[in-house]
Amino acid sequence: SPQDMIASAVDTVTQDVALYAHRMRPQDIILAGGGAMNPVLVARIRASCPSDCTLILSDELGIPATAREALGLSVLGALCQDEVPITLSQITGAQNPGRSGCWTFP
């Protein structure tokens, strides 16, 4: 059912974030995107993370959670325009690091 699919998605995201939090022990986890607006998901993440880990909505840092994707694409567009590679060869092993896309004008 749709409810089961949503519950499975919430469980999967919760488990992934909790696994990261328990392995890496970050001081803070910043929540952004549409999922940050889901009170059930946020509550489940909060309950699954170590008690000394703080969840912060990106809004508190001046970046609206709902603008995450638009801001990310804007950064990629600016990197492309400036011909800045989006990968680092020392990390990816890529011989020729790629750019983030191309500008197309109508």
Side-chain angles (χ1 to χ4, degrees), residues 9-92:
V10 167
D11 284 346
T12 300
V13 171
T14 298
Q15 290 172 15
D16 286 347
V17 173
L19 181 64
Y20 162 78
H22 285 281
R23 280 188 182 166
M24 304 304 293
R25 304 299 291 192
Q27 183 177 358
D28 302 317
I29 293 178
I30 301 168
L31 302 177
M37 302 293 115
N38 182 325
V40 173
L41 176 60
V42 172
R44 296 281 307 279
I45 291 171
R46 182 170 280 119
S48 299
C49 288
S51 59
D52 60 344
C53 181
T54 304
L55 296 185
I56 301 170
L57 192 61
S58 65
D59 293 65
E60 297 173 40
L61 303 172
I63 301 170
T66 55
R68 181 187 67 127
E69 185 175 7
L71 289 170
L73 292 175
S74 297
V75 169
L76 289 176
L79 292 173
C80 175
Q81 182 179 14
D82 294 342
E83 298 184 7
V84 175
I86 61 167
T87 59
L88 299 173
S89 10
Q90 64 267 34
I91 293 174
T92 64

